[in-house]
Amino acid sequence: SLSDISTFSFDLLYDHPFFNKIKPINGLIKIINKFDKEVEFYGRVLKPEGDMDQSGLFTKSFICESVLGYLNDSTQTFQKNANSGVRDYFTRIIDYHNSQVEPHKRFKVGHVTVSSSSDTLYRYIGYDTTFKTIKDYLIGQFGGYIQLRLETDGMYIDYLSEVGQERQNPIQ
């Protein structure tokens, strides 16, 4: 999903070695594409649900959300900031998020390619979750997309005016 918290779900049978070992909220799931070794999904387990079918077979279904969901674990407070550009505004929001959450839920500000020609003297932040603040005050006003990037030194959050690449390869 672009600029949204992606989700993923999977089921395990009762005889799977991880059937009772996956912990909600603390359990992390990483899906790696076996062909190009790219991380397709990285997130936390939200809620397991047990089930038994008509034949008596037990399964657990797990719902996961991408680590962008960590942005719902913090709340912004009212701020009136001098307008010093989109990058500074985005950085203030992420820094305030990082001040409230555990180290593994912190993001580094990465690439910011969205710009604004606004001559507004001040930019404001309300009393919403960090994710809602980004959706309303940044994406809602300036457009663009947020994107997670996993690097060896941590999780980066990019705020991009465009995503993807244009390629000349034929689709076959």
Side-chain angles (χ1 to χ4, degrees):
S1 299
L2 293 176
S3 296
D4 212 348
I5 299 168
S6 300
T7 59
F8 169 74
S9 62
F10 65 98
D11 299 327
L12 290 180
L13 292 173
Y14 73 94
D15 58 350
H16 192 281
F18 290 112
F19 186 78
N20 285 321
K21 292 183 180 179
I22 297 175
K23 305 292 183 212
I25 302 301
N26 294 327
L28 291 172
I29 301 291
K30 187 183 283 187
I31 300 173
I32 301 172
N33 186 320
K34 70 178 184 178
F35 298 109
D36 61 11
K37 306 296 185 231
E38 290 287 321
V39 175
E40 300 290 336
F41 180 87
Y42 182 56
R44 62 181 169 183
V45 176
L46 287 182
K47 181 177 142 185
E49 291 184 2
D51 192 30
M52 181 176 76
D53 67 12
Q54 292 177 345
S55 67
L57 188 65
F58 286 98
T59 60
K60 271 190 188 175
S61 298
F62 296 90
I63 299 171
C64 308
E65 73 175 357
S66 79
V67 293
L68 285 178
Y70 291 161
L71 296 173
N72 281 322
D73 295 353
S74 63
T75 304
Q76 299 290 311
T77 59
F78 177 79
Q79 295 178 43
K80 177 181 176 182
N81 300 308
N83 182 0
S84 53
V86 174
R87 176 178 257 296
D88 179 65
Y89 191 43
F90 183 58
T91 300
R92 285 177 185 271
I93 292 168
I94 297 302
D95 287 348
Y96 197 73
H97 160 79
N98 289 342
S99 73
Q100 298 176 60
V101 297
E102 300 93 334
H104 70 278
K105 295 182 179 180
R106 295 179 185 157
F107 296 96
K108 297 177 182 183
V109 174
H111 307 296
V112 177
T113 60
V114 174
S115 61
S116 168
S117 58
S118 172
D119 60 353
T120 304
L121 293 176
Y122 297 100
R123 297 199 192 278
Y124 297 90
I125 297 173
Y127 295 97
D128 291 314
T129 66
T130 300
F131 185 72
K132 185 167 177 21
T133 299
I134 291 170
K135 292 285 279 190
D136 293 350
Y137 290 87
L138 287 165
I139 297 168
Q141 292 183 16
F142 309 122
Y145 308 92
I146 57 170
Q147 197 168 52
L148 175 71
R149 189 165 37 94
L150 299 173
E151 300 290 343
T152 55
D153 63 338
M155 295 187 301
Y156 285 82
I157 186 166
D158 299 328
Y159 182 34
L160 307 171
S161 57
E162 295 180 0
V163 294
Q165 299 174 347
E166 187 173 320
R167 300 224 175 162
Q168 299 300 318
N169 298 356
I171 298 175
Q172 297 179 353

